[in-house]
């Protein structure tokens, strides 16, 4: 069991025990505020009650108020494997980009859609589920859609990955409508992120004398991708046409000056593509919302609700 850390002054707590005071009994469940802490957990805390009385309690005799309020709420999700509700699974990263080598991992991303009764329950659902050892991450459908509407590059690439492993009919419907997420916001997200990250790398080069060349490669890839989105209206994931040049950056065959020169050229191309793009100013929020509602409704079935009786 891990030892308790010292709880700081000002923290609101709840007494776990009845305590006799000069003014009478203070019942378990009383709330107070820590006004003096001990040097270690073998001694007592001084806790002031709302009426001004003070108690002296050891750490095991009180709970933090925020934790006390949720005690007794079971970990309902522990009984369910949310990966059973993955509706879309694809390979992303270097293998999807066509930039993999013998050391590359196989990263998977996708979407999960939980049954409606679980979504409606007290217990809620996580916005994403991860299996870090397996390099997998799945967003809950609403979270995925919101990120896509914001032109999040990782999410948009997931929709356009050439390496799809699982796609239910519902997921296929989403893929068929994926252009609804494309808008001029791509310019701000892709271009802005690359600009800020290159500035950080320039600082690292000055202060540390080195940078993460793989990161530099992916920033160039991101700019290439964003330019194509604005020009052609789709997200290019496979970068095989640029494989030699991009891997040249990763393996440090390029100088920083050469990389920076290419980066500046791509920023200029991005500006031109932004000025000429036919993409709308904003994504199609109405279409995305309609799809989400349809997906939610598809999970509402009498037989399903009966089988998901939450005790």
């Amino acid at each position: 069991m891990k030892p308790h850390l010292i709880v700081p002054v000002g923290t609101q707590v709840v007494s776990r025990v009845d305590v006799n005071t000069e003014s009478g009994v203070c019942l378990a469940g009383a709330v107070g505020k820590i006004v003096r802490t001990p040097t270690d957990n073998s001694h007592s805390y001084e806790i002031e009650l709302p009426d001004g009385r003070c108690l002296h309690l050891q750490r095991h005799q009180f709970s933090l108020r925020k934790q006390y309020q949720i005690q007794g709420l079971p970990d309902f999700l522990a009984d369910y494997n949310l990966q059973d509700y993955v509706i879309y699974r694809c390979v992303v990263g270097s293998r999807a980009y066509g930039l993999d080598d013998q050391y590359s991992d196989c990263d998977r991303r996708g979407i999960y859609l939980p049954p409606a009764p679980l979504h409606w329950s007290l217990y809620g659902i996580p916005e994403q589920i991860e299996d870090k050892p397996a390099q997998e991450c799945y967003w809950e459908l609403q979270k995925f859609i919101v990120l896509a509407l914001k032109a999040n590059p990782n999410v948009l690439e997931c929709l356009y990955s050439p390496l799809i492993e699982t796609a239910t009919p519902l997921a296929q419907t989403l893929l068929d409508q994926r252009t609804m997420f494309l808008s001029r916001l791509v310019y701000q997200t892709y271009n802005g992120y690359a600009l800020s990250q290159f500035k950080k790398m320039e600082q690292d080069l000055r202060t540390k004398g080195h940078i993460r060349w793989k990161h530099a490669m992916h920033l160039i890839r991101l700019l290439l991708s964003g330019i194509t989105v604005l020009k052609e209206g789709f997200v290019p994931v496979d970068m095989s046409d640029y494989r030699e040049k991009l891997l040249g950056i990763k393996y440090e065959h390029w100088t920083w000056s050469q990389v920076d020169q290419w980066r500046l050229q791509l920023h200029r191309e991005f500006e031109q593509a932004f000025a000429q793009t036919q993409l709308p100013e904003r994504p199609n929020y109405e279409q995305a919302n309609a799809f989400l509602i349809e997906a939610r409704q598809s999970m509402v079935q009498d037989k399903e609700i009966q089988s998901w009786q939450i005790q």
Side-chain angles (χ1 to χ4, degrees):
M1 182 176 180
K2 295 182 179 179
H4 292 291
L5 300 176
I6 299 299
V7 182
V9 169
T11 304
Q12 291 190 8
V13 299
V14 177
S15 173
R16 296 178 180 175
V17 296
D18 296 341
V19 180
N20 291 316
T21 70
E22 294 181 357
S23 303
V25 177
C26 177
L27 298 176
V31 66
K33 180 178 65 175
I34 294 176
V35 293
R36 184 176 299 170
T37 61
T39 56
D40 58 60
N41 279 306
S42 64
H43 295 81
S44 297
Y45 288 76
E46 185 174 345
I47 297 168
E48 183 181 30
L49 300 177
D51 61 7
R53 289 182 295 165
C54 286
L55 308 176
H56 289 86
L57 298 176
Q58 292 192 331
R59 181 63 184 87
H60 68 277
Q61 293 178 311
F62 68 82
S63 299
L64 304 184
R65 185 177 66 81
K66 289 182 179 180
Q67 294 179 355
Y68 183 85
Q69 290 174 318
I70 62 172
Q71 286 176 359
L73 190 65
D75 185 6
F76 185 74
L77 292 178
D79 295 331
Y80 297 92
N81 181 10
L82 294 178
Q83 286 212 23
D84 290 343
Y85 304 101
V86 170
I87 63 171
Y88 180 67
R89 178 185 288 107
C90 67
V91 175
V92 295
S94 295
R95 295 187 184 278
Y97 301 145
L99 301 175
D100 54 306
D101 57 25
Q102 58 182 326
Y103 304 108
S104 297
D105 296 322
C106 188
D107 300 321
R108 291 179 173 84
R109 299 291 182 269
I111 306 167
Y112 85 98
L113 178 61
L118 179 57
H119 200 162
W120 296 333
S121 74
L122 278 173
Y123 312 101
I125 52 171
E127 290 188 333
Q128 66 184 50
I129 53 177
E130 292 186 73
D131 184 345
K132 291 184 178 180
Q135 303 290 324
E136 296 185 28
C137 177
Y138 303 98
W139 291 278
E140 192 277 323
L141 179 60
Q142 181 175 343
K143 178 66 174 181
F144 183 92
I145 288 176
V146 169
L147 289 173
L149 289 169
K150 293 179 179 179
N152 179 287
N154 293 329
V155 169
L156 292 182
E157 287 172 3
C158 191
L159 284 169
Y160 283 82
S161 172
L163 304 177
I164 297 174
E165 295 184 340
T166 300
T168 66
L170 184 65
Q172 187 58 54
T173 298
L174 180 63
L175 293 178
D176 293 342
Q177 301 178 40
R178 61 193 175 184
T179 55
M180 66 182 168
F181 298 114
L182 301 184
S183 72
R184 297 185 184 187
L185 290 179
V186 166
Y187 175 77
Q188 284 83 14
T189 53
Y190 283 53
N191 207 20
Y193 178 73
L195 182 62
S196 65
Q197 291 300 302
F198 268 109
K199 286 185 176 180
K200 289 181 180 179
M201 283 196 292
E202 287 173 347
Q203 183 177 3
D204 287 343
L205 201 59
R206 289 193 301 268
T207 59
K208 301 177 182 178
H210 63 85
I211 62 168
R212 293 184 294 135
W213 289 95
K214 181 179 179 180
H215 187 44
M217 175 193 74
H218 282 302
L219 291 175
I220 292 292
R221 178 193 57 77
L222 190 67
L223 290 173
L224 290 166
S225 176
I227 291 168
T228 300
V229 175
L230 294 183
K231 283 184 173 180
E232 302 183 31
F234 77 96
V235 181
V237 177
D238 187 344
M239 288 284 166
S240 297
D241 291 345
Y242 296 96
R243 177 181 171 86
E244 184 177 348
K245 295 178 70 175
L246 290 172
L247 290 182
I249 297 174
K250 177 181 177 181
Y251 298 140
E252 303 182 43
H253 297 160
W254 288 50
T255 65
W256 172 253
S257 178
Q258 290 172 321
V259 174
D260 196 45
Q261 184 177 0
W262 193 10
R263 186 264 301 188
L264 292 173
Q265 174 192 333
L266 291 175
H267 278 309
R268 290 191 290 269
E269 290 182 24
F270 220 149
E271 292 280 355
Q272 183 177 5
F274 180 64
Q276 299 176 351
T277 186
Q278 298 300 308
L279 289 180
E281 189 71 27
R282 296 283 175 171
N284 194 327
Y285 298 112
E286 293 77 13
Q287 187 177 357
N289 187 58
F291 174 82
L292 178 61
I293 292 172
E294 178 184 350
R296 291 273 188 262
Q297 290 175 336
S298 74
M299 301 303 287
V300 182
Q301 302 173 5
D302 290 343
K303 62 179 181 179
E304 183 179 69
I305 291 178
Q306 293 169 4
S307 66
W308 275 75
Q309 294 297 320
I310 300 175
Q311 303 298 327

